[in-house]
PDB file of all heavy atoms in Angstrom:
ATOM      1  N   ASP W   1     -55.683 207.405 119.080  1.00 95.00           N
ATOM      2  CA  ASP W   1     -55.290 206.387 119.820  1.00 95.00           C
ATOM      3  C   ASP W   1     -54.081 206.693 120.635  1.00 95.00           C
ATOM      4  O   ASP W   1     -52.929 206.735 120.214  1.00 95.00           O
ATOM      5  CB  ASP W   1     -54.972 205.122 118.987  1.00 95.00           C
ATOM      6  CG  ASP W   1     -54.468 203.917 119.834  1.00 95.00           C
ATOM      7  OD1 ASP W   1     -54.527 204.006 121.171  1.00 95.00           O
ATOM      8  OD2 ASP W   1     -53.979 202.888 119.276  1.00 95.00           O
ATOM      9  N   ASP W   2     -54.133 207.228 121.821  1.00 91.00           N
ATOM     10  CA  ASP W   2     -53.078 207.896 122.598  1.00 91.00           C
ATOM     11  C   ASP W   2     -52.794 207.099 123.825  1.00 91.00           C
ATOM     12  O   ASP W   2     -52.398 207.666 124.912  1.00 91.00           O
ATOM     13  CB  ASP W   2     -53.417 209.342 122.942  1.00 91.00           C
ATOM     14  CG  ASP W   2     -52.069 210.100 123.192  1.00 91.00           C
ATOM     15  OD1 ASP W   2     -51.330 210.450 122.341  1.00 91.00           O
ATOM     16  OD2 ASP W   2     -51.716 210.250 124.417  1.00 91.00           O
ATOM     17  N   GLY W   3     -53.061 205.798 123.798  1.00 89.00           N
ATOM     18  CA  GLY W   3     -52.844 204.950 125.047  1.00 89.00           C
ATOM     19  C   GLY W   3     -53.867 205.413 126.070  1.00 89.00           C
ATOM     20  O   GLY W   3     -55.070 205.536 125.887  1.00 89.00           O
ATOM     21  N   GLN W   4     -53.341 205.653 127.355  1.00 90.00           N
ATOM     22  CA  GLN W   4     -54.190 206.000 128.422  1.00 90.00           C
ATOM     23  C   GLN W   4     -54.371 207.498 128.462  1.00 90.00           C
ATOM     24  O   GLN W   4     -55.022 208.061 129.445  1.00 90.00           O
ATOM     25  CB  GLN W   4     -53.638 205.507 129.840  1.00 90.00           C
ATOM     26  CG  GLN W   4     -54.462 205.477 130.999  1.00 90.00           C
ATOM     27  CD  GLN W   4     -55.758 204.621 130.711  1.00 90.00           C
ATOM     28  OE1 GLN W   4     -55.782 203.855 129.957  1.00 90.00           O
ATOM     29  NE2 GLN W   4     -56.752 204.851 131.615  1.00 90.00           N
ATOM     30  N   GLY W   5     -53.978 208.144 127.446  1.00 91.00           N
ATOM     31  CA  GLY W   5     -54.195 209.703 127.453  1.00 91.00           C
ATOM     32  C   GLY W   5     -55.367 210.069 126.532  1.00 91.00           C
ATOM     33  O   GLY W   5     -55.999 209.102 125.853  1.00 91.00           O
ATOM     34  N   ASP W   6     -55.726 211.326 126.561  1.00 95.00           N
ATOM     35  CA  ASP W   6     -56.802 211.924 125.680  1.00 95.00           C
ATOM     36  C   ASP W   6     -56.209 212.877 124.778  1.00 95.00           C
ATOM     37  O   ASP W   6     -55.430 213.744 125.022  1.00 95.00           O
ATOM     38  CB  ASP W   6     -57.800 212.634 126.639  1.00 95.00           C
ATOM     39  CG  ASP W   6     -59.016 211.775 127.010  1.00 95.00           C
ATOM     40  OD1 ASP W   6     -58.978 210.574 126.641  1.00 95.00           O
ATOM     41  OD2 ASP W   6     -59.911 212.256 127.507  1.00 95.00           O
ATOM     42  N   ALA W   7     -56.695 212.739 123.423  1.00 97.00           N
ATOM     43  CA  ALA W   7     -56.407 213.654 122.382  1.00 97.00           C
ATOM     44  C   ALA W   7     -57.381 213.372 121.252  1.00 97.00           C
ATOM     45  O   ALA W   7     -57.635 212.306 120.833  1.00 97.00           O
ATOM     46  CB  ALA W   7     -55.040 213.458 121.866  1.00 97.00           C
ATOM     47  N   THR W   8     -58.060 214.556 120.909  1.00 98.00           N
ATOM     48  CA  THR W   8     -59.023 214.493 119.690  1.00 98.00           C
ATOM     49  C   THR W   8     -58.685 215.578 118.725  1.00 98.00           C
ATOM     50  O   THR W   8     -58.504 216.759 119.175  1.00 98.00           O
ATOM     51  CB  THR W   8     -60.432 214.670 120.240  1.00 98.00           C
ATOM     52  OG1 THR W   8     -60.766 213.861 121.249  1.00 98.00           O
ATOM     53  CG2 THR W   8     -61.395 214.616 119.125  1.00 98.00           C
ATOM     54  N   TYR W   9     -58.540 215.326 117.419  1.00 98.00           N
ATOM     55  CA  TYR W   9     -58.190 216.228 116.402  1.00 98.00           C
ATOM     56  C   TYR W   9     -59.484 216.457 115.547  1.00 98.00           C
ATOM     57  O   TYR W   9     -60.084 215.481 115.190  1.00 98.00           O
ATOM     58  CB  TYR W   9     -57.068 215.675 115.484  1.00 98.00           C
ATOM     59  CG  TYR W   9     -56.932 216.523 114.290  1.00 98.00           C
ATOM     60  CD1 TYR W   9     -56.548 217.838 114.317  1.00 98.00           C
ATOM     61  CD2 TYR W   9     -57.148 215.977 113.053  1.00 98.00           C
ATOM     62  CE1 TYR W   9     -56.227 218.527 113.282  1.00 98.00           C
ATOM     63  CE2 TYR W   9     -57.036 216.671 111.744  1.00 98.00           C
ATOM     64  CZ  TYR W   9     -56.603 218.049 111.949  1.00 98.00           C
ATOM     65  OH  TYR W   9     -56.425 218.678 110.851  1.00 98.00           O
ATOM     66  N   ILE W  10     -59.793 217.611 115.252  1.00 98.00           N
ATOM     67  CA  ILE W  10     -60.856 218.057 114.470  1.00 98.00           C
ATOM     68  C   ILE W  10     -60.433 219.041 113.387  1.00 98.00           C
ATOM     69  O   ILE W  10     -59.794 219.816 113.653  1.00 98.00           O
ATOM     70  CB  ILE W  10     -62.036 218.691 115.291  1.00 98.00           C
ATOM     71  CG1 ILE W  10     -62.538 217.737 116.462  1.00 98.00           C
ATOM     72  CG2 ILE W  10     -63.281 219.053 114.401  1.00 98.00           C
ATOM     73  CD1 ILE W  10     -63.499 218.401 117.365  1.00 98.00           C
ATOM     74  N   ARG W  11     -60.784 218.782 112.136  1.00 98.00           N
ATOM     75  CA  ARG W  11     -60.599 219.644 111.016  1.00 98.00           C
ATOM     76  C   ARG W  11     -61.913 220.109 110.479  1.00 98.00           C
ATOM     77  O   ARG W  11     -62.647 219.355 109.921  1.00 98.00           O
ATOM     78  CB  ARG W  11     -59.732 219.080 109.914  1.00 98.00           C
ATOM     79  CG  ARG W  11     -59.263 220.098 108.912  1.00 98.00           C
ATOM     80  CD  ARG W  11     -58.238 219.538 107.945  1.00 98.00           C
ATOM     81  NE  ARG W  11     -57.881 220.385 106.823  1.00 98.00           N
ATOM     82  CZ  ARG W  11     -57.076 221.544 106.932  1.00 98.00           C
ATOM     83  NH1 ARG W  11     -56.459 221.762 108.022  1.00 98.00           N
ATOM     84  NH2 ARG W  11     -56.777 222.283 105.923  1.00 98.00           N
ATOM     85  N   ILE W  12     -62.370 221.399 110.726  1.00 97.00           N
ATOM     86  CA  ILE W  12     -63.505 221.888 110.346  1.00 97.00           C
ATOM     87  C   ILE W  12     -63.578 222.295 108.926  1.00 97.00           C
ATOM     88  O   ILE W  12     -62.739 223.104 108.504  1.00 97.00           O
ATOM     89  CB  ILE W  12     -64.009 222.998 111.227  1.00 97.00           C
ATOM     90  CG1 ILE W  12     -64.150 222.634 112.774  1.00 97.00           C
ATOM     91  CG2 ILE W  12     -65.310 223.682 110.831  1.00 97.00           C
ATOM     92  CD1 ILE W  12     -64.267 223.773 113.794  1.00 97.00           C
ATOM     93  N   ASP W  13     -64.549 221.806 108.083  1.00 95.00           N
ATOM     94  CA  ASP W  13     -64.729 222.084 106.761  1.00 95.00           C
ATOM     95  C   ASP W  13     -63.403 222.007 105.834  1.00 95.00           C
ATOM     96  O   ASP W  13     -63.243 222.721 104.885  1.00 95.00           O
ATOM     97  CB  ASP W  13     -65.246 223.544 106.634  1.00 95.00           C
ATOM     98  CG  ASP W  13     -66.583 223.725 107.213  1.00 95.00           C
ATOM     99  OD1 ASP W  13     -67.373 222.650 107.405  1.00 95.00           O
ATOM    100  OD2 ASP W  13     -66.901 224.868 107.580  1.00 95.00           O
ATOM    101  N   ASN W  14     -62.495 221.091 106.392  1.00 96.00           N
ATOM    102  CA  ASN W  14     -61.151 220.999 105.630  1.00 96.00           C
ATOM    103  C   ASN W  14     -60.407 222.276 105.535  1.00 96.00           C
ATOM    104  O   ASN W  14     -59.557 222.445 104.742  1.00 96.00           O
ATOM    105  CB  ASN W  14     -61.399 220.435 104.305  1.00 96.00           C
ATOM    106  CG  ASN W  14     -60.154 219.733 103.859  1.00 96.00           C
ATOM    107  OD1 ASN W  14     -59.180 219.474 104.474  1.00 96.00           O
ATOM    108  ND2 ASN W  14     -60.190 219.311 102.535  1.00 96.00           N
ATOM    109  N   LYS W  15     -60.595 223.159 106.650  1.00 95.00           N
ATOM    110  CA  LYS W  15     -59.927 224.444 106.657  1.00 95.00           C
ATOM    111  C   LYS W  15     -59.313 224.661 108.007  1.00 95.00           C
ATOM    112  O   LYS W  15     -58.223 225.220 108.167  1.00 95.00           O
ATOM    113  CB  LYS W  15     -60.895 225.524 106.333  1.00 95.00           C
ATOM    114  CG  LYS W  15     -61.379 225.451 104.834  1.00 95.00           C
ATOM    115  CD  LYS W  15     -62.478 226.550 104.559  1.00 95.00           C
ATOM    116  CE  LYS W  15     -62.997 226.518 103.176  1.00 95.00           C
ATOM    117  NZ  LYS W  15     -64.043 227.527 102.939  1.00 95.00           N
ATOM    118  N   ILE W  16     -60.119 224.487 109.112  1.00 97.00           N
ATOM    119  CA  ILE W  16     -59.695 224.961 110.413  1.00 97.00           C
ATOM    120  C   ILE W  16     -59.391 223.815 111.411  1.00 97.00           C
ATOM    121  O   ILE W  16     -60.172 222.961 111.536  1.00 97.00           O
ATOM    122  CB  ILE W  16     -60.908 225.880 110.997  1.00 97.00           C
ATOM    123  CG1 ILE W  16     -61.157 227.109 110.179  1.00 97.00           C
ATOM    124  CG2 ILE W  16     -60.503 226.275 112.376  1.00 97.00           C
ATOM    125  CD1 ILE W  16     -62.331 227.785 110.522  1.00 97.00           C
ATOM    126  N   ASP W  17     -58.237 223.859 112.039  1.00 98.00           N
ATOM    127  CA  ASP W  17     -57.790 222.847 112.938  1.00 98.00           C
ATOM    128  C   ASP W  17     -58.124 223.099 114.367  1.00 98.00           C
ATOM    129  O   ASP W  17     -57.784 224.205 114.950  1.00 98.00           O
ATOM    130  CB  ASP W  17     -56.272 222.474 112.625  1.00 98.00           C
ATOM    131  CG  ASP W  17     -55.960 222.188 111.146  1.00 98.00           C
ATOM    132  OD1 ASP W  17     -56.432 221.208 110.810  1.00 98.00           O
ATOM    133  OD2 ASP W  17     -55.278 223.079 110.571  1.00 98.00           O
ATOM    134  N   VAL W  18     -58.685 222.072 115.066  1.00 98.00           N
ATOM    135  CA  VAL W  18     -58.857 222.168 116.409  1.00 98.00           C
ATOM    136  C   VAL W  18     -58.394 221.028 117.099  1.00 98.00           C
ATOM    137  O   VAL W  18     -58.499 219.864 116.631  1.00 98.00           O
ATOM    138  CB  VAL W  18     -60.510 222.192 116.746  1.00 98.00           C
ATOM    139  CG1 VAL W  18     -60.843 222.218 118.154  1.00 98.00           C
ATOM    140  CG2 VAL W  18     -61.111 223.444 116.018  1.00 98.00           C
ATOM    141  N   LEU W  19     -57.794 221.076 118.293  1.00 98.00           N
ATOM    142  CA  LEU W  19     -57.174 219.941 119.077  1.00 98.00           C
ATOM    143  C   LEU W  19     -57.721 220.001 120.519  1.00 98.00           C
ATOM    144  O   LEU W  19     -57.655 221.127 121.120  1.00 98.00           O
ATOM    145  CB  LEU W  19     -55.683 220.127 119.098  1.00 98.00           C
ATOM    146  CG  LEU W  19     -54.945 218.964 119.826  1.00 98.00           C
ATOM    147  CD1 LEU W  19     -55.209 217.612 119.072  1.00 98.00           C
ATOM    148  CD2 LEU W  19     -53.412 219.250 119.931  1.00 98.00           C
ATOM    149  N   ILE W  20     -58.303 219.032 120.945  1.00 98.00           N
ATOM    150  CA  ILE W  20     -58.846 218.914 122.216  1.00 98.00           C
ATOM    151  C   ILE W  20     -58.016 218.011 123.102  1.00 98.00           C
ATOM    152  O   ILE W  20     -57.973 216.802 122.682  1.00 98.00           O
ATOM    153  CB  ILE W  20     -60.249 218.463 122.229  1.00 98.00           C
ATOM    154  CG1 ILE W  20     -61.211 219.425 121.441  1.00 98.00           C
ATOM    155  CG2 ILE W  20     -60.887 218.296 123.608  1.00 98.00           C
ATOM    156  CD1 ILE W  20     -62.495 218.940 121.022  1.00 98.00           C
ATOM    157  N   ASP W  21     -57.251 218.522 124.012  1.00 98.00           N
ATOM    158  CA  ASP W  21     -56.214 217.731 124.751  1.00 98.00           C
ATOM    159  C   ASP W  21     -55.049 217.126 123.780  1.00 98.00           C
ATOM    160  O   ASP W  21     -55.274 217.196 122.624  1.00 98.00           O
ATOM    161  CB  ASP W  21     -56.850 216.638 125.583  1.00 98.00           C
ATOM    162  CG  ASP W  21     -57.696 217.098 126.780  1.00 98.00           C
ATOM    163  OD1 ASP W  21     -57.336 218.222 127.172  1.00 98.00           O
ATOM    164  OD2 ASP W  21     -58.717 216.439 127.157  1.00 98.00           O
ATOM    165  N   ALA W  22     -54.065 216.732 124.547  1.00 98.00           N
ATOM    166  CA  ALA W  22     -52.833 216.252 123.637  1.00 98.00           C
ATOM    167  C   ALA W  22     -52.122 215.135 124.185  1.00 98.00           C
ATOM    168  O   ALA W  22     -51.013 214.852 123.796  1.00 98.00           O
ATOM    169  CB  ALA W  22     -51.967 217.489 123.605  1.00 98.00           C
ATOM    170  N   GLY W  23     -52.889 214.222 124.910  1.00 96.00           N
ATOM    171  CA  GLY W  23     -52.302 212.965 125.450  1.00 96.00           C
ATOM    172  C   GLY W  23     -51.159 213.343 126.466  1.00 96.00           C
ATOM    173  O   GLY W  23     -50.890 214.383 126.825  1.00 96.00           O
ATOM    174  N   SER W  24     -50.354 212.391 126.617  1.00 94.00           N
ATOM    175  CA  SER W  24     -49.310 212.542 127.703  1.00 94.00           C
ATOM    176  C   SER W  24     -47.880 212.827 127.173  1.00 94.00           C
ATOM    177  O   SER W  24     -47.010 213.153 127.887  1.00 94.00           O
ATOM    178  CB  SER W  24     -49.269 211.190 128.570  1.00 94.00           C
ATOM    179  OG  SER W  24     -49.025 210.076 127.816  1.00 94.00           O
ATOM    180  N   ASP W  25     -47.738 212.398 125.792  1.00 94.00           N
ATOM    181  CA  ASP W  25     -46.472 212.513 125.355  1.00 94.00           C
ATOM    182  C   ASP W  25     -46.494 212.942 123.726  1.00 94.00           C
ATOM    183  O   ASP W  25     -47.516 213.333 123.287  1.00 94.00           O
ATOM    184  CB  ASP W  25     -45.476 211.242 125.522  1.00 94.00           C
ATOM    185  CG  ASP W  25     -46.425 209.961 125.025  1.00 94.00           C
ATOM    186  OD1 ASP W  25     -47.004 210.074 124.092  1.00 94.00           O
ATOM    187  OD2 ASP W  25     -46.184 208.932 125.740  1.00 94.00           O
ATOM    188  N   ARG W  26     -45.284 212.550 123.052  1.00 95.00           N
ATOM    189  CA  ARG W  26     -45.310 212.854 121.625  1.00 95.00           C
ATOM    190  C   ARG W  26     -46.067 212.066 120.729  1.00 95.00           C
ATOM    191  O   ARG W  26     -46.065 212.287 119.483  1.00 95.00           O
ATOM    192  CB  ARG W  26     -43.765 212.873 121.200  1.00 95.00           C
ATOM    193  CG  ARG W  26     -43.154 211.482 121.250  1.00 95.00           C
ATOM    194  CD  ARG W  26     -41.649 211.515 120.897  1.00 95.00           C
ATOM    195  NE  ARG W  26     -41.393 212.225 119.513  1.00 95.00           N
ATOM    196  CZ  ARG W  26     -40.723 213.249 119.425  1.00 95.00           C
ATOM    197  NH1 ARG W  26     -40.371 213.953 120.516  1.00 95.00           N
ATOM    198  NH2 ARG W  26     -40.584 213.818 118.347  1.00 95.00           N
ATOM    199  N   LYS W  27     -46.702 210.981 121.254  1.00 95.00           N
ATOM    200  CA  LYS W  27     -47.543 210.198 120.454  1.00 95.00           C
ATOM    201  C   LYS W  27     -48.674 210.879 119.670  1.00 95.00           C
ATOM    202  O   LYS W  27     -48.996 210.508 118.686  1.00 95.00           O
ATOM    203  CB  LYS W  27     -48.154 209.006 121.350  1.00 95.00           C
ATOM    204  CG  LYS W  27     -48.792 207.807 120.452  1.00 95.00           C
ATOM    205  CD  LYS W  27     -49.405 206.805 121.390  1.00 95.00           C
ATOM    206  CE  LYS W  27     -49.906 205.619 120.418  1.00 95.00           C
ATOM    207  NZ  LYS W  27     -50.367 204.613 121.349  1.00 95.00           N
ATOM    208  N   VAL W  28     -49.195 211.966 120.164  1.00 97.00           N
ATOM    209  CA  VAL W  28     -50.207 212.745 119.516  1.00 97.00           C
ATOM    210  C   VAL W  28     -49.717 213.301 118.196  1.00 97.00           C
ATOM    211  O   VAL W  28     -50.547 213.419 117.187  1.00 97.00           O
ATOM    212  CB  VAL W  28     -50.582 213.943 120.350  1.00 97.00           C
ATOM    213  CG1 VAL W  28     -49.462 214.941 120.456  1.00 97.00           C
ATOM    214  CG2 VAL W  28     -51.670 214.636 119.868  1.00 97.00           C
ATOM    215  N   LEU W  29     -48.380 213.442 117.990  1.00 97.00           N
ATOM    216  CA  LEU W  29     -47.818 213.930 116.704  1.00 97.00           C
ATOM    217  C   LEU W  29     -48.029 212.949 115.546  1.00 97.00           C
ATOM    218  O   LEU W  29     -48.272 213.247 114.422  1.00 97.00           O
ATOM    219  CB  LEU W  29     -46.359 214.104 116.796  1.00 97.00           C
ATOM    220  CG  LEU W  29     -45.847 215.350 117.738  1.00 97.00           C
ATOM    221  CD1 LEU W  29     -44.387 215.341 117.852  1.00 97.00           C
ATOM    222  CD2 LEU W  29     -46.437 216.591 117.366  1.00 97.00           C
ATOM    223  N   GLN W  30     -48.165 211.659 115.934  1.00 97.00           N
ATOM    224  CA  GLN W  30     -48.457 210.553 115.002  1.00 97.00           C
ATOM    225  C   GLN W  30     -49.904 210.750 114.428  1.00 97.00           C
ATOM    226  O   GLN W  30     -50.099 210.603 113.293  1.00 97.00           O
ATOM    227  CB  GLN W  30     -48.271 209.186 115.560  1.00 97.00           C
ATOM    228  CG  GLN W  30     -46.932 208.814 116.089  1.00 97.00           C
ATOM    229  CD  GLN W  30     -46.799 207.518 116.755  1.00 97.00           C
ATOM    230  OE1 GLN W  30     -47.758 206.769 116.593  1.00 97.00           O
ATOM    231  NE2 GLN W  30     -45.678 207.235 117.386  1.00 97.00           N
ATOM    232  N   CYS W  31     -50.790 211.075 115.404  1.00 97.00           N
ATOM    233  CA  CYS W  31     -52.140 211.253 114.914  1.00 97.00           C
ATOM    234  C   CYS W  31     -52.286 212.520 114.044  1.00 97.00           C
ATOM    235  O   CYS W  31     -52.950 212.439 112.922  1.00 97.00           O
ATOM    236  CB  CYS W  31     -53.092 211.390 116.125  1.00 97.00           C
ATOM    237  SG  CYS W  31     -54.829 211.458 115.799  1.00 97.00           S
ATOM    238  N   LEU W  32     -51.644 213.611 114.446  1.00 98.00           N
ATOM    239  CA  LEU W  32     -51.681 214.779 113.682  1.00 98.00           C
ATOM    240  C   LEU W  32     -51.071 214.644 112.272  1.00 98.00           C
ATOM    241  O   LEU W  32     -51.535 215.046 111.307  1.00 98.00           O
ATOM    242  CB  LEU W  32     -51.033 216.041 114.422  1.00 98.00           C
ATOM    243  CG  LEU W  32     -51.819 216.458 115.745  1.00 98.00           C
ATOM    244  CD1 LEU W  32     -51.000 217.673 116.301  1.00 98.00           C
ATOM    245  CD2 LEU W  32     -53.126 216.949 115.453  1.00 98.00           C
ATOM    246  N   GLY W  33     -49.856 213.958 112.297  1.00 97.00           N
ATOM    247  CA  GLY W  33     -49.223 213.638 111.015  1.00 97.00           C
ATOM    248  C   GLY W  33     -50.025 212.877 110.102  1.00 97.00           C
ATOM    249  O   GLY W  33     -49.853 213.151 108.934  1.00 97.00           O
ATOM    250  N   LYS W  34     -50.928 212.054 110.560  1.00 97.00           N
ATOM    251  CA  LYS W  34     -51.797 211.227 109.679  1.00 97.00           C
ATOM    252  C   LYS W  34     -52.949 211.907 109.102  1.00 97.00           C
ATOM    253  O   LYS W  34     -53.338 211.670 107.988  1.00 97.00           O
ATOM    254  CB  LYS W  34     -52.118 209.902 110.421  1.00 97.00           C
ATOM    255  CG  LYS W  34     -52.882 208.925 109.526  1.00 97.00           C
ATOM    256  CD  LYS W  34     -53.035 207.588 110.268  1.00 97.00           C
ATOM    257  CE  LYS W  34     -53.859 206.566 109.421  1.00 97.00           C
ATOM    258  NZ  LYS W  34     -53.953 205.267 110.191  1.00 97.00           N
ATOM    259  N   TYR W  35     -53.605 212.747 109.879  1.00 97.00           N
ATOM    260  CA  TYR W  35     -54.818 213.373 109.545  1.00 97.00           C
ATOM    261  C   TYR W  35     -54.844 214.820 109.075  1.00 97.00           C
ATOM    262  O   TYR W  35     -55.752 215.334 108.459  1.00 97.00           O
ATOM    263  CB  TYR W  35     -55.894 212.953 110.632  1.00 97.00           C
ATOM    264  CG  TYR W  35     -56.076 211.613 110.887  1.00 97.00           C
ATOM    265  CD1 TYR W  35     -55.559 210.832 111.872  1.00 97.00           C
ATOM    266  CD2 TYR W  35     -56.919 210.852 109.931  1.00 97.00           C
ATOM    267  CE1 TYR W  35     -55.742 209.559 112.065  1.00 97.00           C
ATOM    268  CE2 TYR W  35     -57.230 209.520 110.161  1.00 97.00           C
ATOM    269  CZ  TYR W  35     -56.636 208.843 111.171  1.00 97.00           C
ATOM    270  OH  TYR W  35     -56.742 207.450 111.396  1.00 97.00           O
ATOM    271  N   MET W  36     -53.758 215.563 109.617  1.00 97.00           N
ATOM    272  CA  MET W  36     -53.758 216.943 109.336  1.00 97.00           C
ATOM    273  C   MET W  36     -52.874 217.182 108.105  1.00 97.00           C
ATOM    274  O   MET W  36     -51.806 216.408 108.039  1.00 97.00           O
ATOM    275  CB  MET W  36     -53.033 217.690 110.560  1.00 97.00           C
ATOM    276  CG  MET W  36     -53.066 219.180 110.531  1.00 97.00           C
ATOM    277  SD  MET W  36     -52.510 219.839 112.114  1.00 97.00           S
ATOM    278  CE  MET W  36     -52.460 221.578 111.775  1.00 97.00           C
ATOM    279  N   PRO W  37     -53.319 217.906 107.101  1.00 97.00           N
ATOM    280  CA  PRO W  37     -52.502 218.115 105.986  1.00 97.00           C
ATOM    281  C   PRO W  37     -51.064 218.509 106.261  1.00 97.00           C
ATOM    282  O   PRO W  37     -50.739 219.372 107.140  1.00 97.00           O
ATOM    283  CB  PRO W  37     -53.200 219.322 105.252  1.00 97.00           C
ATOM    284  CG  PRO W  37     -54.530 219.286 105.701  1.00 97.00           C
ATOM    285  CD  PRO W  37     -54.506 218.651 107.158  1.00 97.00           C
ATOM    286  N   PHE W  38     -50.070 217.857 105.535  1.00 95.00           N
ATOM    287  CA  PHE W  38     -48.689 218.056 105.937  1.00 95.00           C
ATOM    288  C   PHE W  38     -48.150 219.432 105.753  1.00 95.00           C
ATOM    289  O   PHE W  38     -47.326 219.978 106.429  1.00 95.00           O
ATOM    290  CB  PHE W  38     -47.791 217.071 105.025  1.00 95.00           C
ATOM    291  CG  PHE W  38     -47.779 217.430 103.555  1.00 95.00           C
ATOM    292  CD1 PHE W  38     -46.756 218.391 102.981  1.00 95.00           C
ATOM    293  CD2 PHE W  38     -48.787 216.958 102.647  1.00 95.00           C
ATOM    294  CE1 PHE W  38     -46.889 218.686 101.760  1.00 95.00           C
ATOM    295  CE2 PHE W  38     -48.748 217.284 101.243  1.00 95.00           C
ATOM    296  CZ  PHE W  38     -47.742 218.162 100.847  1.00 95.00           C
ATOM    297  N   PHE W  39     -48.914 220.295 104.846  1.00 96.00           N
ATOM    298  CA  PHE W  39     -48.407 221.606 104.617  1.00 96.00           C
ATOM    299  C   PHE W  39     -48.988 222.611 105.612  1.00 96.00           C
ATOM    300  O   PHE W  39     -48.734 223.677 105.677  1.00 96.00           O
ATOM    301  CB  PHE W  39     -48.909 222.026 103.153  1.00 96.00           C
ATOM    302  CG  PHE W  39     -50.436 221.889 102.884  1.00 96.00           C
ATOM    303  CD1 PHE W  39     -51.294 222.822 103.320  1.00 96.00           C
ATOM    304  CD2 PHE W  39     -50.787 220.693 102.193  1.00 96.00           C
ATOM    305  CE1 PHE W  39     -52.739 222.559 103.023  1.00 96.00           C
ATOM    306  CE2 PHE W  39     -52.186 220.437 102.011  1.00 96.00           C
ATOM    307  CZ  PHE W  39     -53.151 221.455 102.423  1.00 96.00           C
TER     308      PHE W  39
END
């Protein structure tokens, strides 16, 4: 949910991280912080 921007996060097999677009500003960090392992 990046407002009027585009950002899609994919974690393949719980190992490999893929990001498709990143929205317009820092809001994408909230999405990564929630779904991408903190470590």
Side-chain angles (χ1 to χ4, degrees):
D1 178 12
D2 201 79
Q4 194 60 18
D6 261 12
T8 303
Y9 168 68
I10 302 174
R11 186 165 174 85
I12 300 173
D13 299 336
N14 203 7
K15 295 176 183 177
I16 298 170
D17 302 295
V18 177
L19 182 65
I20 301 166
D21 288 331
S24 59
D25 52 34
R26 66 184 305 115
K27 192 174 181 181
V28 66
L29 295 177
Q30 297 176 14
C31 188
L32 293 180
K34 184 173 183 178
Y35 297 100
M36 188 171 175
F38 69 89
F39 53 82

